[in-house]
Amino acid sequence: MVTRAAFAAAVFLYAAFSSPTPDAPGIVEFAVLALLLFAATSMRLPRDRWAYPFFGLLAYGTIIPLAIGALSGHASGDIARDVIAFAALAVPVVYASQFPDDQKSQNTLLALLIGVGMLFSLRYLAQAWRDISALGVGSLDHHFLYLANSPLVAFAAAFLLLRGCFTEKRVLYAFGFILASLIPLAAMIGMMQRATLGLLVFAWFGFLIYTLIKTPRRAAAVIAVCAGIIALLWPLPTLVWESLSEKTLAVGWNARGAELAVMMDAVNANPVTALFGAGWGSLFKSPAVGDLWVRFTHSLFTSLLWKAGWLGLIMAAAAFAGLVMDATRRLKADPVLLAALILPLLPALFLYGSYKSLCFGLLLLALARCNGHPLKQSDKPIPLI
């Protein structure tokens, strides 16, 4: 399919030469946009249950917050950046028809997501090599910092690690997946993504406990391999733990609570903004970034509450709840893939600003279309649900 090839080319250009949130669009970004628009020419709107709440949310977001922003006199550039960020939510609606249920389409979609995560990780680590003693944050250009914050980096790490440890039956492939997961894991550690790393550790131990009960021999092998890798990397694991602990002691939760309090005061200042939001392009002083004027908050839900009001937040909550429930139903036979998709979604919804990118849209597309691998009976993943 020509349009699917155009979509894949756009994703490759994005992963290899662009970044999740570029300061200003260049030739690469315009090429990506052109390819995505061409790929959308074969769009067929999905008729799945998850799609209808998304239709409503997208319609609301393109009318009400845009009108409020324009009538309030917000800067056109700020409005445009908000609209582009909101457009990430349209990716599963526009491109769902590109990836039907056949095995080739499913493999293509997974390969695109893992490819973006791996390329972003490699680009970040290549730049971070110059200042590895500071775990990548010392003198890096912020253009490269955004790469490691991509939700697809977390997806690649989670999918490769969990698949290699708990569901891949071929020994060499399993070991290869585990080793490959070290690349995105290193990028996540470099950016000190404490919440995402914590979720991954929690998921890994959850799968390990279940495997220990159901297939103790596999659990013992996983423990032995992971212990061997840790031993080979020693004392790096202790340095990572110390760095994560020091950051937690120094900054806590990065003033997310204070940011939420200030944002709530701004939203609830009058009934109109409480119900419909302050509109696209609105700004406020965020204590999470030293009281600088910002156009976003550090989670999708709080950002929509601010820009689109309680009505927009309720519509978004309904849309994401429907999408996650539908994905859970489709992927109940492949809990590793489900966990790998949910893991980067949660920080974007509640803690991080990683929702403002094509990466987030691709993650939603996978949640909307992935149905797990039709494996042989002997290769079926552990049924956790």
Side-chain angles (χ1 to χ4, degrees):
M1 182 184 291
V2 176
T3 52
R4 187 192 298 176
F7 183 82
V11 172
F12 172 76
L13 285 177
Y14 171 70
F17 304 107
S18 186
S19 72
T21 53
D23 290 333
I27 187 171
V28 173
E29 286 72 32
F30 285 117
V32 170
L33 178 60
L35 288 167
L36 289 176
L37 291 175
F38 176 75
T41 57
S42 64
M43 176 183 67
R44 296 191 304 275
L45 291 178
R47 297 183 179 181
D48 306 272
R49 290 183 179 179
W50 64 264
Y52 295 101
F54 266 85
F55 294 156
L57 175 61
L58 291 170
Y60 176 85
T62 54
I63 297 173
I64 303 302
L66 183 60
I68 293 174
L71 293 173
S72 301
H74 298 158
S76 58
D78 291 334
I79 293 175
R81 291 186 75 89
D82 280 347
V83 170
I84 291 171
F86 182 72
L89 303 186
V91 170
V93 171
V94 175
Y95 300 104
S97 60
Q98 298 280 354
F99 300 97
D101 293 335
D102 63 276
Q103 184 65 29
K104 182 178 180 181
S105 299
Q106 293 288 305
N107 288 342
T108 300
L109 181 55
L110 275 180
L112 287 175
L113 265 66
I114 295 172
V116 174
M118 295 297 283
L119 278 173
F120 276 1
S121 299
L122 290 169
R123 290 173 60 197
Y124 168 82
L125 292 171
Q127 182 71 15
W129 184 258
R130 301 176 183 177
D131 195 20
I132 197 170
S133 62
L135 286 176
V137 299
S139 60
L140 277 177
D141 188 304
H142 69 279
H143 174 82
F144 289 94
L145 299 181
Y146 293 141
L147 298 177
N149 279 332
S150 164
L152 295 187
V153 170
F155 168 78
F159 180 79
L160 293 170
L161 179 63
L162 298 178
R163 179 69 184 261
C165 287
F166 302 111
T167 62
E168 179 56 56
K169 301 298 183 182
R170 296 163 294 185
V171 175
L172 290 179
Y173 279 73
F175 189 64
F177 286 152
I178 294 172
L179 290 181
S181 72
L182 297 178
I183 295 174
L185 278 173
M188 293 167 63
I189 291 170
M191 280 304 298
M192 298 289 180
Q193 292 187 20
R194 293 167 295 158
T196 312
L197 288 167
L199 287 172
L200 180 53
V201 170
F202 180 80
W204 188 86
F205 274 106
F207 278 101
L208 179 65
I209 291 170
Y210 188 90
T211 306
L212 190 62
I213 295 171
K214 293 295 183 179
T215 52
R217 291 179 61 184
R218 171 141 197 164
V222 168
I223 293 172
V225 169
C226 292
I229 292 174
I230 291 173
L232 288 173
L233 295 175
W234 201 267
L236 185 58
T238 60
L239 297 176
V240 169
W241 174 256
E242 290 172 1
S243 297
L244 293 171
S245 300
E246 289 174 3
K247 181 176 180 180
T248 301
L249 291 174
V251 302
W253 290 101
N254 289 329
R256 295 292 194 267
E259 179 185 72
L260 178 60
V262 172
M263 187 273 300
M264 290 290 289
D265 288 341
V267 167
N268 295 323
N270 64 72
V272 175
T273 56
L275 186 59
F276 300 111
W280 300 137
S282 54
L283 307 174
F284 86 108
K285 282 187 176 181
S286 173
V289 290
D291 287 329
L292 295 175
W293 287 95
V294 297
R295 67 173 65 87
F296 65 91
T297 62
H298 286 86
S299 82
L300 175 62
F301 281 161
T302 57
S303 187
L304 285 175
L305 174 59
W306 168 30
K307 308 273 186 172
W310 284 100
L311 184 56
L313 175 62
I314 292 170
M315 296 179 73
F320 279 94
L323 180 61
V324 170
M325 287 190 293
D326 190 70
T328 301
R329 175 187 59 80
R330 280 181 283 104
L331 295 172
K332 62 183 178 181
D334 194 349
V336 160
L337 179 54
L338 178 62
L341 290 169
I342 296 295
L343 187 144
L345 177 69
L346 294 177
L349 294 181
F350 298 105
L351 286 174
Y352 291 162
S354 57
Y355 57 87
K356 311 183 304 297
S357 66
L358 178 59
C359 296
F360 187 67
L362 293 172
L363 182 71
L364 299 183
L365 176 61
L367 277 166
R369 295 308 304 152
C370 282
N371 57 19
H373 291 294
L375 303 175
K376 298 178 182 178
Q377 185 67 29
S378 61
D379 290 341
K380 283 189 177 179
I382 304 166
L384 291 183
I385 301 173

